[in-house]
Structure formats: structure tokens, C-alpha cells
Amino acid sequence: MKRAVYFFCTNSDIDPVARNVFNAVSEMYPLCKTDILIDAQPVLSLTDEMGNEFYFVRTNKVVCHDYRRYLPTMNQYFADFDFSGLITWHEGENAPDRILSVHTTGDVNSGYFGNANSHCMHNLLWVLEANRTVGDLDDFRITTEGTHWSGMVYNGGSPYLITEFPVPLVDIEIGSTHESWTNERAAEVIAKSLTGVFQDTGKIIKNILCVGGVHFEPSFSQAVFASWDEYAFGISHILPNHWLVTGQYEGDQGLIRYRKCIESICDGIEGIVHHDNLKGVYKQQLRLLGTELKIPVFKHQWLSRPREIPWSD
């Protein structure tokens, strides 16, 4: 039996997505009230046919926007869970539209990374794609994003707080315009997919750390759905190029931060992939890590030729 918890800021004046998804969950599943109260609202639960438990938490604010207040409660009730997700919206000046995106939690600049579970993230992304395909959502696409934490933008607290919640946490978002945020089918696809995070796809997961490229790096997003023989890539933390520069990952401190990132990935990694446009000084750091860990370091073009990657096993 495994357990997952999902957080929804149901104040539509703050979050234009979460309430719609929560309502879709409520209509889709026979939820039960628990004895847990958060923001004066009972946490709801669901048990699937395999005995896995799912908890749905309504909050007045987006939890990462006030992490100092929510973190003690999160740890009180959910610290021993297997997976967690924050359902929210995505926007940005150059953000793509009509997307359902998933990203891990961390602040690349300062080197604080939340725990990440590549296997659960793989399951979630694959079930999102399956439900998108059958859910009349052809104009949307499933994508990953660079690892980040919105608490940095909304003054949710110091980035060290990210590591204080031990459960792997991802943001699950709809982006990036009002038309997409209010799309009922998009909300339904996410709602239907939340209970699929423990549904094994039958693939053997090859965990990799993704480094370089842009925030919505297509080579990494496309690799999420690649498979060969009985294998598939396990993608979790993605470290975009611009944060490597501002975080000074070219020096000794960068190696320390890379190691912390790798340590936060459940079951470790079996390879490091970098965007080919990454500057040489950053590639050299990754080669040092590859030698240290005895794993391959390869450029992103190899993601389309996974059988040629010299896996250590």
C-alpha cells in the first residue's frame, strides 16, 4: 500500500486552476472525510482497489507561497507518504500555452533540492498522456519544466525549507493563459490522472539527471515518453542552463550542489544527460561526476538513441 497527498488552493482569486481540478476530483471519485482539518476544511481521502490511499487537501493559499506556515502541518500529517503534488497554474511572459506540465521542486541557484521520485513521476506523466489522448484534449500537450520552487517568487520562505518536507513533491500545472486555466477537459484529465501515480507502466526505469537547455527543454520533455525494449527514462530534476550560470555551477560549489541534487533522487541515477549547447566548463563538471559515480555522461541527441548509451550495467 502506498499513499499520495495533493494540495489545492481553492481560492480562485489566487489560483485559477486548483479549484476546478478539485471539483473534478470530487465529481469523479467517492471521497471520504478524514479527521484532519487544514484551513478549517476537512482533508478528503480515497482508497483504490489496490489499497493505495490518496488524500486531497484544500488550502486558502498556495502552500509554497506560505511554506513557513504550511510546512509544520504537512510534516505532521504526511511526512511518511510516498508522493505529493501541488495542483496549480502556470504563466509567464514567454510561457507556452495549452500545456499540462509537471516539475520537481528545488532552487537550482542556491542548491536546495526537494526529494524526487522518478518512477512516480514517470507513471504520472504517462497516465496524463494516456488520459489526454482519450479526453478530447488534442490541442494540449504534456511537458516537463526545469526544477524550481515558486516560493522564491512569492516570498514563501527560505529555499532551505524545500528540504524540510521529505516527501517527493511535484507541481502539476495547467498553462499558460486564462482560456487554458479554465478548460474543463484539462481539469478533468489532471483529476483522473492523480490516482495513477502508483500504476506501474511495466517499464524498467533508467534514472537520469538532465542538465542545460531552456526551462521547457523539448529534448527532455520528449524523452519522457521514449521507451526501448523493456526500458524507459526516469526524468525528475532538470537543471536549466540559466540557473547553472547564476548559481555558479562551474566551480567547486557547483559540484557540491550537483551531488546534493543527485542524492535527492530516489534510487540514484544511472546517467547524466546535458544539452549539447552547454558550455565546456559545465560539461567538464558533469564528466567529473560521471567518473566519480561510474555512470555515462552524454549529450541530449543520444536520448533518441538510448540503445547506444553506454550504461554501466
Side-chain angles (χ1 to χ4, degrees), residues 67 71 75 105-106 111-115 149 158-167 260 264:
Y67 217 53
L71 181 61
N75 278 324
T105 301
Y112 289 101
F113 297 94
N115 286 336
W149 185 57
S158 172
Y160 84 86
L161 294 175
I162 296 169
T163 62
E164 296 297 299
F165 185 53
V167 183
K260 285 184 178 180
S264 73

Side-chain angles (χ1 to χ4, degrees), residues 117-290:
N117 188 313
S118 301
H119 203 132
C120 286
M121 189 161 166
H122 164 85
N123 294 344
L124 177 60
L125 288 162
W126 277 45
V127 75
L128 278 168
E129 174 62 12
N131 289 332
R132 182 200 66 81
T133 301
V134 300
D136 193 24
L137 207 61
D138 293 341
D139 54 339
F140 275 68
R141 61 187 173 92
I142 311 300
T143 183
T144 53
E145 295 181 53
T147 296
H148 66 283
W149 185 57
S150 297
M152 297 303 296
V153 178
Y154 291 92
N155 195 29
S158 172
Y160 84 86
L161 294 175
I162 296 169
T163 62
E164 296 297 299
F165 185 53
V167 183
L169 172 65
V170 300
D171 281 21
I172 305 164
E173 304 174 350
I174 299 177
S176 296
T177 62
H178 183 269
E179 181 180 2
S180 295
W181 301 333
T182 55
N183 188 299
E184 292 184 3
R185 293 192 303 278
E188 290 167 356
V189 166
I190 291 180
K192 187 177 180 180
S193 301
L194 296 180
T195 58
V197 69
F198 302 132
Q199 294 176 9
D200 200 338
T201 64
K203 297 295 182 180
I204 299 172
I205 303 302
K206 291 280 193 180
N207 285 353
I208 57 175
L209 173 65
C210 300
V211 183
V214 296
H215 188 71
F216 287 93
E217 178 51 52
S219 56
F220 301 151
S221 294
Q222 292 164 11
V224 163
F225 301 110
S227 63
W228 66 103
D229 305 322
E230 69 268 39
Y231 299 101
F233 291 117
I235 293 177
S236 55
H237 286 313
I238 299 174
L239 314 185
N241 181 70
H242 59 286
W243 284 325
L244 298 177
V245 175
T246 56
Q248 299 181 329
Y249 276 68
E250 68 275 13
D252 291 342
Q253 184 66 32
L255 279 176
I256 293 172
R257 291 173 175 173
Y258 277 129
R259 293 188 186 105
K260 285 184 178 180
C261 180
I262 293 168
E263 290 169 1
S264 73
I265 300 173
C266 298
D267 299 324
I269 60 172
E270 296 178 74
I272 299 173
V273 57
H274 61 79
H275 196 279
D276 198 28
N277 289 339
L278 196 66
K279 289 185 178 180
V281 65
Y282 300 106
K283 292 179 182 177
Q284 180 57 28
Q285 294 282 69
L286 299 178
R287 294 189 191 103
L288 290 173
L289 283 170

Side-chain angles (χ1 to χ4, degrees), residues 25-73:
V25 169
S26 299
E27 294 173 3
M28 203 170 289
Y29 299 111
L31 304 181
C32 299
K33 287 184 179 180
T34 71
D35 295 331
I36 304 171
L37 285 179
I38 297 178
D39 284 349
Q41 301 179 93
V43 174
L44 305 181
S45 70
L46 171 73
T47 302
D48 70 11
E49 59 186 13
M50 302 299 294
N52 299 311
E53 297 178 358
F54 303 90
Y55 288 70
F56 304 92
V57 180
R58 290 166 288 179
T59 58
N60 295 333
K61 297 181 66 176
V62 181
V63 293
C64 64
H65 297 183
D66 198 0
Y67 217 53
R68 285 165 291 206
R69 181 167 73 88
Y70 285 111
L71 181 61
T73 302

